[in-house]
Amino acid sequence: METRSITAEVPMVPRMTEDPAELVPELAAVSAALFKLTGNGSVPRSTISLVQLRAGQIVGSTYLTVLHTGFLSKAGESQERITSVASWQDSPYFTGAERAALALVEALLQPSAHGERVSDELYAQAAEHYEAKALATLMFAIGQVNFFIAVALIAKPVPGRSFSDPWK
């Protein structure tokens, strides 16, 4: 396995040259269903995007980080909120509900040295902020970004290109 020098520039071409959605057209239906599911209104779209931005940061995906930063910017989120997602624990810009959501995505994507990734305590804290449907929606929103993490890390679409056209 070849290791790139830390000072080497990263090429602006996708690793996978063919669009996975064209190779597997069934992806469109899955993607649309996931977007519809997470857009059911029980969790604010901004919270979902904050969680998905944090997921991209945790797994080291520039594509997902740029994508969700763009979504948040277009939705009118402040630069302070967007840039402090990486350090949300000590940021004054997030509500209790948003903090619970960010804690859940971190628990799922980072190994725990102390047993379960999502402890009963964390679940209880999240449940204080979200009714059952909203908590289920948040769970699926985290699953949605996890579904696309594989695409982002394996196929490596070009960051900053249109969401629907990162392969050209």
Side-chain angles (χ1 to χ4, degrees):
M1 175 179 195
E2 185 180 324
T3 304
R4 180 175 38 236
S5 162
I6 197 152
T7 58
E9 291 186 28
V10 177
M12 287 292 282
V13 295
R15 178 182 293 151
M16 180 178 268
T17 56
E18 296 174 277
D19 183 344
E22 290 178 11
L23 295 171
V24 184
E26 297 85 357
L27 176 63
V30 172
S31 182
L34 287 170
F35 191 78
K36 182 178 179 183
L37 183 150
T38 61
N40 67 27
S42 64
V43 177
R45 180 55 66 187
S46 61
T47 301
I48 291 170
S49 288
L50 290 168
V51 164
Q52 293 179 337
L53 168 58
R54 186 65 188 124
Q57 292 170 338
I58 292 167
V59 301
S61 170
T62 301
Y63 175 76
L64 289 173
T65 300
V66 170
L67 177 69
H68 291 291
T69 296
F71 287 165
L72 286 161
S73 291
K74 287 177 186 168
E77 288 293 335
S78 71
Q79 280 304 117
E80 292 83 5
R81 278 174 51 86
I82 294 169
T83 56
S84 66
V85 166
S87 57
W88 67 268
Q89 296 91 339
D90 68 351
S91 171
Y93 301 113
F94 303 104
T95 67
E98 290 167 336
R99 291 175 173 287
L102 289 164
L104 279 174
V105 74
E106 284 197 0
L108 284 168
L109 292 177
Q110 296 176 334
S112 172
H114 308 291
E116 286 186 283
R117 288 184 187 218
V118 178
S119 67
D120 289 342
E121 179 185 357
L122 176 54
Y123 179 85
Q125 289 172 354
E128 286 177 23
H129 295 281
Y130 297 99
E131 63 181 44
K133 180 178 180 177
L135 192 53
T137 300
L138 182 59
M139 177 177 63
F140 294 130
I142 294 169
Q144 176 187 32
V145 75
N146 278 316
F147 181 85
F148 288 104
I149 282 172
V151 176
L153 296 180
I154 295 169
K156 251 187 145 173
V158 177
R161 296 225 179 122
S162 165
F163 177 62
S164 60
D165 197 21
W167 307 102
K168 308 236 186 275

